[in-house]
Amino acid sequence: MPTRIDYIGIEAFVAIAQLGNFVRASVHLNLSQAALSHRIRKLEDDIGTRLLLRTTREVSLTEAGQEFLPIARRNLEALSTAYSAVQTKARAQQQTLTFACLPTIAHFYLPRVLEAFVISHPYISIRLQEQPADRVRELVISGEAEFGVILTGVQRWDLEFKEVRREDYHLLVGPNHPLAKQSSVSLADLAGERFVRINTQSTNRQMVDDFLEPVAGTIDWRYEVQNAAMAIAMVMQGVAVTILPSISARLSGYSLSSLPFSDIQISRTLGIVTRRGAPLTAAAQAMRDQIITALRRDD
């Protein structure tokens, strides 16, 4: 079993040795002389030898004290440096809030939330990680992000997911598409349509594929791209149609037609993911609450 180190005793010994007597050392350490004497006696008892020779006027070091002093001083200085470094980092972390979010959610909801947050928390800087769902989970698990805004998915024992809202998927078509004037579409309307879909690693892609499986054979799966922005650009140009969350049309800035389905409901569940057992800082809690309010307000 490792020896228990009496750091406060060592601190007292170094102070006395450097300052030359108990009076100056007690003032330096803000201790009474009785308390200082108690610390030295306890240290010497623990070590098993005398370190100081005391008279009424002066203090000198024993041979053991002379050997111990440079080692003790050097290690106290190293400990002080390490303590200061950790303290500085902790203070920096307290002043910086890091969280992660799906890109589409971040782009549509968070500018207004971030603006309101910095007004109410002027001394907090924000580091936002816009990442896919799997990466958001990784950042939360590692502690790099205090929380994440993602879709519900595979649940892990070390994460907690709080559902906030559900969001429907719509068929997005260009302004000149024959379906653009309809108020809704059915699965039958998709027959023969040329689709652009997101890559196979996307949560959106997996969800849409599952729902469209009954009519998959009637659809022209012509294009696959890496992100929603490219899919929307192709829809706007009339190259293809696609299925994305309803906010995608509003986020795009284009005059796309966003058509709900009349015979099926495709939706995703948005929520906040946190690391189980890891309480949020006050700043993270405030940011989380503002995001939840913003998401629910748009229902």
Side-chain angles (χ1 to χ4, degrees):
M1 183 175 180
T3 302
R4 183 176 178 181
I5 306 299
D6 182 5
Y7 288 104
I8 60 174
I10 295 173
E11 181 185 42
F13 164 70
V14 171
I16 294 168
Q18 292 184 154
L19 296 174
N21 62 52
F22 274 69
V23 175
R24 286 193 289 268
S26 64
V27 172
H28 174 71
L29 296 175
N30 195 27
L31 291 171
S32 67
Q33 290 187 50
L36 187 61
S37 295
H38 173 74
R39 286 190 179 184
I40 291 299
R41 284 196 302 271
K42 183 177 182 302
L43 176 65
E44 290 177 333
D45 289 344
D46 286 347
I47 292 176
T49 188
R50 295 285 297 276
L51 299 174
L52 299 172
L53 295 175
R54 285 155 282 193
T55 67
T56 55
R57 293 187 176 183
E58 62 180 16
V59 174
S60 61
L61 301 180
T62 65
E63 183 178 352
Q66 293 175 14
E67 293 177 356
F68 185 53
L69 178 60
I71 300 171
R73 186 163 46 202
R74 185 166 57 250
N75 282 278
L76 278 181
E77 289 173 352
L79 184 61
S80 177
T81 300
Y83 183 90
S84 297
V86 173
Q87 187 180 56
T88 299
K89 183 177 180 181
R91 287 174 177 170
Q93 289 174 338
Q94 290 172 357
Q95 296 171 358
T96 300
L97 167 60
T98 301
F99 70 101
C101 185
L102 293 174
T104 54
I105 302 303
H107 296 170
F108 187 78
Y109 290 103
L110 292 192
R112 291 168 291 177
V113 172
L114 296 179
E115 180 183 26
F117 183 86
V118 297
I119 291 174
S120 59
H121 298 78
Y123 301 107
I124 304 293
S125 60
I126 300 167
R127 183 179 296 120
L128 171 60
Q129 297 268 14
E130 302 159 70
Q131 299 288 345
D134 287 344
R135 179 58 181 155
V136 170
R137 292 188 185 92
E138 291 174 3
L139 290 169
V140 174
I141 291 169
S142 69
E144 295 177 64
E146 288 207 57
F147 67 88
V149 185
I150 61 170
L151 307 178
T152 187
V154 177
Q155 298 302 311
R156 295 176 50 105
W157 68 269
D158 48 357
L159 292 177
E160 293 183 358
F161 180 81
K162 176 181 175 61
E163 181 176 332
V164 176
R165 64 166 291 170
R166 297 181 69 82
E167 182 176 59
D168 289 339
Y169 280 71
H170 287 184
L171 178 72
L172 302 186
V173 301
N176 298 319
H177 193 280
L179 296 174
K181 296 181 180 180
Q182 296 186 191
S183 59
S184 63
V185 292
S186 65
L187 286 179
D189 291 325
L190 305 183
E193 290 293 339
R194 184 176 296 171
F195 266 75
V196 54
R197 55 184 177 178
I198 315 301
N199 74 82
T200 54
Q201 301 304 312
S202 164
T203 304
N204 287 337
R205 162 67 179 274
Q206 296 168 17
M207 188 178 301
V208 170
D209 283 357
D210 289 342
F211 276 97
L212 297 188
E213 186 177 1
V215 294
T218 69
I219 293 173
D220 183 359
W221 300 107
R222 185 61 59 92
Y223 305 106
E224 179 177 296
V225 296
Q226 295 299 306
N227 57 68
M230 184 60 189
I232 289 173
M234 294 178 70
V235 171
M236 186 60 193
Q237 294 296 321
V239 175
V241 301
T242 195
I243 297 177
L244 287 172
S246 58
I247 66 165
S248 300
R250 290 180 283 170
L251 182 62
S252 70
Y254 298 126
S255 55
L256 298 177
S257 291
S258 180
L259 306 173
F261 286 89
S262 59
D263 52 352
I264 61 169
Q265 182 180 33
I266 310 178
S267 63
R268 65 180 183 177
T269 301
L270 300 176
I272 306 292
V273 65
T274 55
R275 189 155 48 111
R276 191 178 301 278
L280 297 178
T281 61
Q285 183 72 50
M287 176 65 80
R288 190 199 74 154
D289 292 346
Q290 289 188 29
I291 292 174
I292 290 174
T293 298
L295 291 175
R296 288 177 173 167
R297 185 187 299 128
D298 199 56
D299 280 336

